[in-house]
Amino acid sequence: MRISKTLFRKSPHPLLSDDVDPIWAWSPYESTAVDSWTHRHAGHLLRRATLGFTWPELERARQDGLSATIDQLFDFSANESFDRDMDATGKLVAATQEPRRLSSWWLLRMAQTPNSVLEKLTLFWHGHFATSGDKVRDNRALYAQNELLRDKAMGEFEPLVHAIARDVAMLIYLDTTDNRKTRPNENFARELLELFCLGIGNYSERDIQQLARCFTGWEVRSGHFRFNEHQHDAGEKELFGQRRAFDATEAMHLVLQQPSAARFIAKKLVRFYVTDEADLSNELLEPLAQQLREQQFQIEPVLRRIFSSNYFYSEFALGQKIRSPVELSLNLIRMFGIATNMDELSGQLEILGQLPYFPPNVKGWDGGRQWINAATLLARNQLSRRLVQRGTTSAQVWSQAVPATIAKQESQRLVETLLTAWLAVSPPAEIVALMMPIAEKFRREPEKRVAALFEFLACLPEFQLG
């Protein structure tokens, strides 16, 4: 199968170019065009910030404008009943000791949540602090970690780091359940520096060795974290050029004071929400990094700034991300309001390389272009087609994606509306031309018309872009 160049095209301007002004990039979005906030802009925001949306949600975002839409997306005040029900179900699933059932539960939560922004950020942290059910066979620990990530997702990063360091699932996953002063375990210390806080090249091997001593005495006993002071190395350590008897809390605070920490987290957020490009310059990231430093690493304000920025609505971001398998499937499920078997979906996502609770390794999912090859593109198209077929069998369901008034429009206008609302970038003119006969064929049957057009859309290379 030939893979379209659409999925692998480079931005027309290098992201490291001097003509990308960092101040402009992260300033509030401005446009001289009359139609500076359209369905395409609103759809771009909702695709990136959430796990999927319906036509009414898209239309509301277009009418409300950027600022009001972001306020609405970050309003989490009306979700107590949903959270209570999902938490109760999650605890029942956790008691089964079948990790793959937890995957199905979380997919259900992501599909139904009224708080899609928070749930997507929880998925981000799950990939950042990767822990797999293949090794951690304790469902309660895995569920507790998921709750921890969701509870602290939007707040300060440092308390999240401190909590994940004491998280039972993480301690099991990184073999630090019995960390003694006579043989400090370096696994967690290494990953804390390399994958969680600083990135490669911003610490030394000696920093790892000294940091590992700070975590001695950390144990898991009877399924709970315990600090054993008799096994803690209370001696003097030298860490990042400072020498004193650091404990773990002090050491983690010092790690996050390193200049590279804020840039590292800013880069991870930009790559998750804005672009798959790996070569993001420190200069470009510095305004976001500086905001993190000044605001105690608060995550929500930085996300709001990203979603409101010039850069986010520029050519550097539009169509510059490949949807992950979870995003691809949940977008369709939420778009059509599909009731689907989450156990079945879990199996399909595992084939595509992204089963929640089962990241491939401690690095999490690489994402970006790694999602796409000849085999996965075929499987992604097959999954999309199946979901579309389920979603377009009922007028009540498909009208969530296309209202009846739009489904009955003149063919050219209908096609333009679908492309603008549901694709990140428009396909080539010759592909658009192929949609016209489909729209004309079922002109008097709006249900079949929408179903056929969406089946066509879902298999376009452009549909893989978020």
Side-chain angles (χ1 to χ4, degrees):
M1 172 177 288
R2 183 178 65 85
I3 302 176
S4 170
K5 293 181 180 179
T6 301
L7 299 178
F8 298 99
R9 71 189 189 282
K10 289 284 188 180
S11 171
H13 302 292
L15 291 173
L16 298 179
S17 173
D18 292 338
D19 62 4
V20 180
D21 177 8
I23 302 302
W24 168 86
W26 306 114
S27 294
Y29 170 63
E30 297 176 0
S31 174
T32 56
V34 175
D35 57 343
S36 60
W37 187 251
T38 65
H39 279 122
R40 187 175 297 281
H41 295 87
H44 173 67
L45 171 61
L46 295 178
R47 265 189 298 275
R48 295 297 181 82
T50 76
L51 291 165
F53 54 94
T54 63
W55 178 272
E57 290 168 337
L58 175 66
E59 181 61 23
R60 176 182 175 181
R62 185 195 65 79
Q63 293 178 359
D64 287 352
L66 174 56
S67 179
T69 298
I70 289 179
D71 285 341
Q72 188 274 324
L73 290 175
F74 284 91
D75 180 5
F76 308 143
S77 60
N79 305 317
E80 291 184 4
S81 177
F82 174 84
D83 290 341
R84 186 169 54 251
D85 291 345
M86 275 294 163
D87 291 346
T89 304
K91 289 174 182 175
L92 290 175
V93 173
T96 67
Q97 295 305 308
E98 298 177 32
R100 276 168 170 71
R101 291 199 62 193
L102 275 178
S103 300
S104 300
W105 164 80
W106 193 13
L107 287 169
L108 179 66
R109 178 167 191 150
M110 286 189 278
Q112 296 183 353
T113 179
N115 195 351
S116 189
V117 173
L118 178 58
E119 212 60 42
K120 185 167 183 175
L121 183 58
T122 304
L123 181 63
F124 165 78
W125 289 126
H126 174 47
H128 184 81
F129 296 110
T131 307
S132 174
D134 278 331
K135 184 173 183 178
V136 183
R137 305 298 298 173
D138 185 339
N139 261 24
R140 288 186 174 87
L142 289 168
Y143 172 78
Q145 185 187 88
N146 184 268
E147 288 290 284
L148 165 65
L149 296 177
R150 184 176 296 103
D151 180 60
K152 297 188 179 298
M154 289 284 177
E156 296 178 20
F157 181 61
E158 184 166 343
L160 174 56
V161 173
H162 287 215
I164 206 71
R166 294 169 172 80
D167 176 71
V168 172
M170 179 62 72
L171 292 171
I172 294 172
Y173 189 56
L174 293 181
D175 305 309
T176 54
T177 56
D178 194 13
N179 201 353
R180 298 178 177 273
K181 61 184 177 182
T182 55
R183 42 185 177 86
N185 188 305
E186 295 182 4
N187 284 11
F188 181 75
R190 183 179 301 277
E191 306 312 348
L192 181 73
L193 298 180
E194 177 181 336
L195 299 177
F196 301 163
C197 295
L198 300 183
I200 295 174
N202 296 301
Y203 56 89
S204 68
E205 283 297 312
R206 179 167 175 77
D207 288 326
I208 294 173
Q209 295 162 4
Q210 297 294 294
L211 182 60
R213 294 173 57 202
C214 300
F215 291 104
T216 52
W218 288 38
E219 304 174 344
V220 173
R221 292 291 180 269
S222 302
H224 299 281
F225 168 80
R226 185 182 75 170
F227 175 66
N228 183 347
E229 62 178 336
H230 301 294
Q231 290 298 331
H232 177 62
D233 183 346
E236 189 176 76
K237 299 112 179 164
E238 184 175 353
L239 190 60
F240 294 105
Q242 296 189 31
R243 182 182 292 275
R244 65 174 183 267
F246 290 104
D247 62 18
T249 298
E250 295 168 333
M252 285 187 284
H253 180 70
L254 179 60
V255 167
L256 290 175
Q257 287 182 319
Q258 301 310 299
S260 58
R263 289 195 299 268
F264 181 72
I265 297 304
K267 182 175 183 178
K268 291 291 290 281
L269 291 170
V270 171
R271 288 206 65 223
F272 186 78
Y273 286 104
V274 185
T275 176
D276 286 332
E277 289 288 345
D279 296 327
L280 297 166
S281 70
N282 287 340
E283 291 75 18
L284 178 64
L285 296 169
E286 186 55 30
L288 299 180
Q290 187 61 31
Q291 180 175 343
L292 284 168
R293 297 185 194 104
E294 292 173 352
Q295 298 182 353
Q296 292 76 49
F297 277 74
Q298 286 278 351
I299 300 302
E300 180 179 332
V302 170
L303 288 183
R304 283 175 172 265
R305 184 175 184 181
I306 289 172
F307 296 151
S308 304
S309 69
N310 285 318
Y311 197 87
F312 188 73
Y313 298 97
S314 74
E315 60 188 321
F316 299 105
L318 293 168
Q320 295 296 320
K321 280 195 66 65
I322 295 175
R323 288 173 172 171
S324 72
V326 167
E327 291 172 318
L328 179 70
S329 56
L330 288 177
N331 183 269
L332 288 167
I333 288 170
R334 291 176 68 89
M335 178 196 302
F336 289 109
I338 300 170
T340 192
N341 184 313
M342 292 303 171
D343 290 331
E344 178 185 329
L345 180 61
S346 293
Q348 294 165 337
L349 291 175
E350 187 169 17
I351 293 172
L352 292 175
Q354 192 187 25
L355 179 62
Y357 282 106
F358 292 89
N361 50 54
V362 71
K363 288 173 58 181
W365 294 279
D366 290 330
R369 299 179 186 185
Q370 302 304 312
W371 293 129
I372 299 290
N373 57 47
T376 59
L377 184 58
L378 176 61
R380 287 163 72 101
N381 283 344
Q382 290 173 337
L383 173 58
S384 296
R385 185 181 291 112
R386 283 195 294 269
L387 290 173
V388 168
Q389 288 171 348
R390 290 181 186 178
T392 54
T393 55
S394 163
Q396 183 179 2
V397 173
W398 65 253
S399 63
Q400 288 196 140
V402 183
T405 53
I406 293 176
K408 297 174 182 178
Q409 284 180 338
E410 182 269 329
S411 294
Q412 181 71 37
R413 188 174 179 185
L414 171 60
V415 168
E416 290 175 355
T417 298
L418 294 183
L419 294 176
T420 300
W422 299 117
L423 292 187
V425 294
S426 295
E430 59 269 25
I431 300 299
V432 177
L434 296 176
M435 299 178 68
M436 298 304 297
I438 299 174
E440 284 295 312
K441 179 179 179 180
F442 300 108
R443 187 164 185 168
R444 299 184 183 280
E445 301 174 277
E447 294 92 343
K448 291 183 179 179
R449 196 184 198 198
V450 169
L453 286 170
F454 263 107
E455 281 193 49
F456 185 91
L457 283 179
C459 293
L460 291 178
E462 288 77 12
F463 195 78
Q464 306 300 324
L465 299 174

